[in-house]
Structures are given as structure tokens and as C-alpha cells.
Amino acid sequence: MKSVLIYDDEPNIRTSIINRLKELGFDTIFECCDAKTAVSMAFENIPNIAIIDAALPQRGGVSAACVIRQKLKIPVILLMSQCDPDTLNQAKTNGITTILSKPFRDQDLLPAIEMATAHTSEVKRLKADVGDLNKAIENMQVIDKAKKVLMRAKGLSESEAFRNLQKLAMDKQKTMRQIAEAIFITEGV
């Protein structure tokens, strides 16, 4: 099921976008004409993507788009009739990477959706990679500390302490971190 939120204050534009989205296979379409409703609809329904009119800054479209992007982490496409540097910077700062200039052609919508979705997926993957790297660094620090404990307690060199940890991990079928933590308990660290 593919769902989308559309916020545009012009009914004709909303209708045009909705028709194109239906052709593209979106089966659940939430539509509204004000920023406050856009944010509440997004939070209630969590659509796959949001298409937000930012053409009228006083109507809060950019702010709504930024809140939706930051809180829900879904792709957001901004619709703009003109792009000023402040709006562009605010969008970039909040992770919004796709802008469609109004008026736009129907064939421009699919590439915009694909690019926004691809960027959001890439950011999610990179965040997961960073999390994995942080965990690996944490594991290395724990293992390094355990090596130092073994070096002091048993008079081993650094490479001998590391090999000792490796061998214990293989023999016990545990991770090196689990062995390191067991060493802390055994040695009273």
C-alpha cells in the first residue's frame, strides 16, 4: 500500500497531483489545504511521502514540511513557484532534497518521488552504518581494555593478550566482547 499526503491550497493543483499519483499506483491519498492540518494528518496517518506547497511562506508550508521530515523521517517534496535562498537553506537543513517548481509537468512527479525516496533510503542506510560503526568502536575499546587487564594480570605482550582473547572466544563460541566482559568480572575490574 502506497500512501501520500498532499498539502496545496489550490484545489486544481491538488486534483491534478491526485490524478497523477493514482496513475503511479498510490492508493491512499490524504489531502489538505493548510499547514496545521498537514502536520496533524501526517502524524495520524504516517504516509510514505508528503508533497507540500511551500509557495506561500506565510501559510507555513515550509515549516510543516520541515516538521514532517524531521519527526517522521519520510520523504518530502516541496512545491514552489519561486525558490528563495532562505527557503532553500531551511529545506536543506531539515533533510528535504526535492523541489518541484510550480507549475510542473505531470511527468516531473515520478522522478521527484523516486529521488526523494532514494535519498531518504540512503540517509536511513547511512545512519544504520554509523550505528554499526559506533558499536564496532565500542567493542574495540572494551577488547582493548581487556587486553590491558590480561597484560597486567598475566604479564603478556599486547599481541599475546589479543591472541588469548581470540582463542577463548573461539573455544567458548562467544564474541570477543563477551570474553572481554567475562575477564573484567574474573579480574574484578
Side-chain angles (χ1 to χ4, degrees):
M1 182 168 110
K2 295 188 334 185
S3 62
V4 61
L5 168 70
I6 302 166
Y7 157 41
D8 197 299
D9 64 337
E10 298 177 49
N12 294 344
I13 292 178
R14 278 198 318 270
T15 301
S16 173
I17 294 171
I18 288 168
N19 291 337
R20 181 66 178 131
L21 289 168
K22 286 178 180 176
E23 290 172 11
L24 295 173
F26 283 87
D27 49 13
T28 306
I29 299 171
F30 308 101
E31 63 175 300
C32 61
C33 58
D34 69 90
K36 186 176 179 181
T37 304
V39 171
S40 65
M41 282 181 117
F43 284 20
E44 287 171 21
N45 300 293
I46 311 176
N48 298 108
I49 191 164
I51 301 172
I52 306 290
D53 179 14
L56 300 169
Q58 66 271 26
R59 296 257 173 106
V62 176
S63 296
C66 291
V67 168
I68 291 167
R69 175 72 186 121
Q70 287 299 304
K71 300 289 184 186
L72 298 180
K73 308 295 187 214
I74 62 171
V76 174
I77 297 171
L78 284 182
L79 302 177
M80 302 179 73
S81 46
Q82 59 182 349
C83 188
D84 66 273
D86 290 338
T87 302
L88 185 60
N89 190 45
Q90 187 179 4
K92 286 190 311 186
T93 302
N94 287 283
I96 298 169
T97 60
T98 308
I99 294 175
L100 274 177
S101 295
K102 290 168 78 173
F104 61 91
R105 301 171 303 168
D106 281 351
Q107 67 257 33
D108 295 336
L109 192 55
L110 178 60
I113 291 169
E114 293 292 329
M115 293 306 292
T117 303
H119 178 265
T120 300
S121 296
E122 180 67 7
V123 167
K124 193 179 289 185
R125 187 191 63 76
L126 289 172
K127 284 183 179 182
D129 288 351
V130 167
D132 292 346
L133 290 172
N134 284 335
K135 187 71 171 169
I137 289 169
E138 183 183 311
N139 288 341
M140 288 173 36
Q141 290 170 336
V142 169
I143 291 166
D144 193 49
K145 185 176 175 184
K147 281 191 313 187
K148 290 177 182 168
V149 168
L150 286 176
M151 290 166 61
R152 275 193 306 271
K154 297 188 177 190
L156 301 173
S157 69
E158 185 174 353
S159 61
E160 289 171 328
F162 185 77
R163 280 193 296 274
N164 192 303
L165 283 168
Q166 267 185 324
K167 184 171 179 356
L168 281 169
M170 285 189 289
D171 291 347
K172 304 279 186 191
Q173 295 183 342
K174 301 286 182 187
T175 66
M176 287 182 68
R177 177 163 182 157
Q178 289 171 318
I179 297 299
E181 289 169 344
I183 287 171
F184 297 151
I185 293 168
T186 304
E187 296 295 326
V189 175

